[in-house]
Amino acid sequence: MSSPSFLRSKLRYIRVLKNTCGFCLPRMQMLPLTHMMAETPKDDDGDTIVVTETKPKTKRPPLYKVLLLNDDYTPMEFVVHVLERFFGLSHAQSFELMLTVHKKGLAVVGVFSHEIAETKVAQVMDYARRHQHPLQCTMEKEE
Ligand code: TYC
């Protein structure tokens, strides 16, 4: 003979309580049934298996330095303009950075993701070529 539905659900509730650990008990209402069933996970043969929680490993994507190289022919004003136009630097910042490249031979003009760095290099190289200046721009993975 089957019991009325309200009784059936009460029976099920008690059975679940018996299998529940002390930690889960105060949280009963919040926890899905699957959590309580997962306390002693078993394989197909009924053997208990160990479930290890692994911390999700997220790695930051590598960054790339964009370098501008000195040469003897590209006009200083053109380099200043390139730095303003493609690297969002002020005129004063661009002038200072251009002078650093001029004196030291090269300088990092920005640090970006691979895709952005690649785009900046292509933009500078294309712009210099179209204006017939030998200005060189490269990228390098940051350590
Ligand atoms: N050396 C160049 C000159 O004297 C100026 C220059 C600066 C060129 C920076 C390239 O990346 C560069 N006209």
Side-chain angles (χ1 to χ4, degrees):
M1 200 179 89
S2 66
S3 47
S5 64
F6 80 90
L7 237 180
R8 268 209 307 277
S9 62
K10 189 159 189 185
L11 282 172
R12 194 157 45 226
Y13 184 61
I14 291 164
R15 203 163 26 234
V16 166
L17 266 178
K18 275 186 175 170
N19 292 335
T20 305
C21 69
F23 175 74
C24 296
L25 216 45
R27 303 164 146 235
M28 277 289 297
Q29 282 164 316
M30 293 156 54
L31 291 168
L33 193 61
T34 49
H35 170 80
M36 292 174 274
M37 290 163 74
E39 271 178 51
T40 50
K42 303 260 176 18
D43 64 11
D44 292 343
D45 303 328
D47 295 326
T48 302
I49 53 173
V50 177
V51 178
T52 54
E53 266 187 45
T54 53
K55 200 173 161 199
K57 286 194 186 75
T58 51
K59 254 193 177 174
R60 262 197 277 268
L63 290 173
Y64 291 79
K65 298 183 281 194
V66 171
L67 303 139
L68 209 55
L69 310 187
N70 187 37
D71 67 74
D72 294 337
Y73 306 101
T74 305
M76 288 185 170
E77 317 83 75
F78 182 80
V79 179
V80 172
H81 175 68
V82 162
L83 291 170
E84 290 177 294
R85 184 179 177 121
F86 298 111
F87 297 92
L89 302 177
S90 71
H91 188 78
Q93 289 172 322
S94 300
F95 191 84
E96 201 180 320
L97 198 47
M98 179 280 296
L99 275 186
T100 303
V101 179
H102 175 71
K103 287 181 201 160
K104 302 212 181 243
L106 85 181
V108 176
V109 297
V111 178
F112 309 96
S113 69
H114 188 270
E115 198 183 354
I116 304 284
E118 224 171 36
T119 303
K120 299 280 180 196
V121 170
Q123 285 173 330
V124 172
M125 294 298 281
D126 184 57
Y127 195 67
R129 189 191 50 76
R130 283 194 278 124
H131 287 83
Q132 301 186 312
H133 295 309
L135 182 63
Q136 295 293 303
C137 186
T138 58
M139 61 192 269
E140 195 176 275
K141 195 174 182 180
E142 211 183 43
E143 294 314 320

